[in-house]
Structures are given as C-alpha cells and as structure tokens.
C-alpha cells in the first residue's frame, strides 16, 4: 500500500468513528442509522449524474452489497441499543479484518507478506482487547449485544469483499460508490417506515442537519475505502480502516463521557504497532 493510500484510509477510519459516534448521541440508534444512510444518499445524489453508473458486470456485486449493508445496519443498531460504543465498536470492527483476511486469502487469491499478516493479527487482538479490558467499570458483558456485534463483523467482512470485487470489475470505483450510496439510502428507510410508520420517524426531525453531517462522513469514509481496494490489497485496506477504533475510543471518552480505562491505552499501543507492521510489510 502506497503512503498516500495509507493516509487516505486512516482519514477514512477517523470519519467512520465520527459517524458511529452519532448513533449514540441523543437519538435512538436505529433512527440515527436511518438518518445517516439517508443523508449519505442525499450527499451522493448531486454528483451521481456526473459520474454515471458502473458496468453491468458490477451490478450483481452492487446489489449484494446493498443487502449486506442492510443486515449490517440492523445488527449494529441492535448492538448499540444494549451496550456502550466502547464495547460494541471494537468487536464489530476488530473481528472484521480477521475474517476479511481469511476470506480474501482463501477465496480471492489476495496475497500479504508474513509481516503484514502479523500486523493484521496484532490489530485484531488490539481492538478486541479494547472491548475486554476497556469496558466501563462494573459493566457486565451482554451476550446478546456481543452476538449482534459479532454478526456486524460478519456483515462488514461480507460487504467489504463484495465491494472490493465489485469496484474492480466496475471500471470506475467512483461511479460504483456514488451508485451504491444513492441506492443504499432507500432499503433501511423503507424498512423503518414499514416497522414504525411515518409518525415513528418524527423523532428524527430535530437532527436532520446532524444526520446529513453523519451521512457525509459515512460516504467519505467508505468511498475512500472502495477506491483504495482498487489500488491495494483488499485485506490490507480493511485492516487499516479498522484503526478507526483508536478514534472511536477517543470520541467515547471526550464526547460520550465514557470513563477512560488503562486497557484502552494498551490496546492503542498494539494498534499503532500493528499499523507500523503493515506499512513495513
């Protein structure tokens, strides 16, 4: 991975942590997620006509990604309804690169150096440790929340692989990304309308601007990742992107007022070391 790609994916990681923090602020996570996905679609819509649509060969991958994203949104919001961001986010994001590396090597024929594989494994261990050692004092593990977090990791692995391949065969990762975000704005919104009705979405109204900002961060984060997967190995991009747990831990302490824990500091050192290993590899 070239240096400019590496830093671009790190920026994507920071944006990803930012919009996830929005899901824990003031509004029910499910409605917040609905607002963010709709906001991302609105941001992508004006540029979509200029970028066009991807090649026909990419559409099966695109539609598969939309289905996997819907599962991801529902699983993640269910997890956030039951546990702290600092406990859910590391499991959801930390498990994903380990699954993605395994699937990429076995299914896609991607290759990583031994040092890079060690870096990915260290990163996965570091982010999982944040959840184990860095949870709120006295907080018990909620097995249902952890189950949803694990399911989220599986969905992340799925859509990462699908979008990595889809963007490569599309002929234009930017057209692929714009099309993905515009279409992806609808499934969760329609699901919310079906489950809650129009009146059930009323609590979102005071947060429309925040939702648009969260949507812009979501779009920017994943757009960068999709582009990066066309110029670098998919598992490496997925792993570097999961360094977002560093930014998430900071947000959890500073904005969400979750108390700092020494376990998070140890995990942060492991993650930084893992990033160094991946760069050296």
């Amino acid at each position: 991975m070239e240096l400019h790609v590496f830093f671009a994916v790190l920026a994507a990681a920071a944006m990803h942590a930012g919009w996830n923090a929005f899901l824990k602020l003031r509004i029910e996570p499910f409605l917040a997620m609905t607002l963010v996905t709709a906001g991302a679609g609105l941001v992508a819509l004006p540029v979509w006509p200029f970028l066009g649509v991807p090649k026909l060969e990419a559409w099966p991958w695109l539609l598969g990604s939309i289905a996997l994203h819907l599962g991801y949104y529902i699983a993640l919001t269910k997890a956030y309804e039951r546990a702290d961001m600092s406990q859910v986010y590391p499991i959801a994001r930390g498990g994903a690169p380990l699954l993605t590396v395994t699937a990429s090597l076995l299914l896609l024929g991607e290759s990583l150096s031994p040092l890079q594989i060690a870096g990915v494994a260290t990163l996965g261990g570091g982010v999982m440790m944040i959840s184990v050692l860095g949870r709120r004092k006295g907080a018990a593990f909620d097995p249902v929340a952890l189950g949803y977090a694990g399911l989220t990791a599986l969905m992340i692995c799925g859509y990462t692989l699908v979008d990595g391949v889809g963007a490569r065969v599309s002929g234009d990762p930017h057209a692929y990304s714009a099309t993905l975000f515009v279409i992806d704005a609808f499934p969760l919104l329609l699901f919310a309308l079906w489950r809650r009705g129009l009146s059930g979405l009323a609590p979102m109204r005071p947060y429309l601007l925040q939702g648009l900002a969260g949507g812009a961060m979501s779009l920017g984060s994943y757009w960068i990742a999709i582009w990066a997967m066309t110029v670098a190995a998919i598992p490496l991009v997925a792993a570097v992107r999961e360094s977002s747990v560093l930014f998430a831990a900071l947000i959890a302490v500073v904005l969400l007022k979750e108390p700092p824990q020494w376990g998070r500091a140890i995990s942060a050192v492991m993650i930084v070391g893992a990033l160094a290993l991946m760069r050296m590899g």
Side-chain angles (χ1 to χ4, degrees), residues 99-232:
L99 293 171
T100 303
V101 166
T102 302
S104 296
L105 295 177
L106 294 177
L107 301 177
L108 302 182
E110 297 278 276
S111 61
L112 295 178
S113 72
L115 204 57
Q116 289 171 332
I117 292 175
V120 172
T122 303
L123 186 142
V127 295
M128 296 290 280
M129 187 181 292
I130 288 181
S131 186
V132 174
L133 300 180
R135 68 185 187 277
R136 183 178 297 180
K137 186 177 181 180
F141 278 113
D142 182 335
V144 177
L146 298 184
Y148 278 123
L151 179 60
T152 301
L154 187 61
M155 294 293 118
I156 293 169
C157 171
Y159 73 64
T160 299
L161 294 175
V162 166
D163 286 328
V165 175
R168 289 177 178 182
V169 303
S170 70
D172 185 347
H174 304 299
Y176 182 94
S177 297
T179 303
L180 172 64
F181 275 99
V182 170
I183 298 176
D184 192 51
F186 292 98
L188 188 61
L189 181 60
L190 294 174
F191 180 76
L193 284 169
W194 174 62
R195 290 291 303 271
R196 306 289 182 87
L198 193 59
S199 61
L201 304 187
M204 296 192 304
R205 289 174 187 166
Y207 304 102
L208 293 178
L209 288 179
Q210 292 96 321
L212 193 63
M217 286 190 288
S218 174
L219 180 143
S221 173
Y222 199 48
W223 196 314
I224 291 172
I226 289 175
W227 160 77
M229 287 189 290
T230 65
V231 295

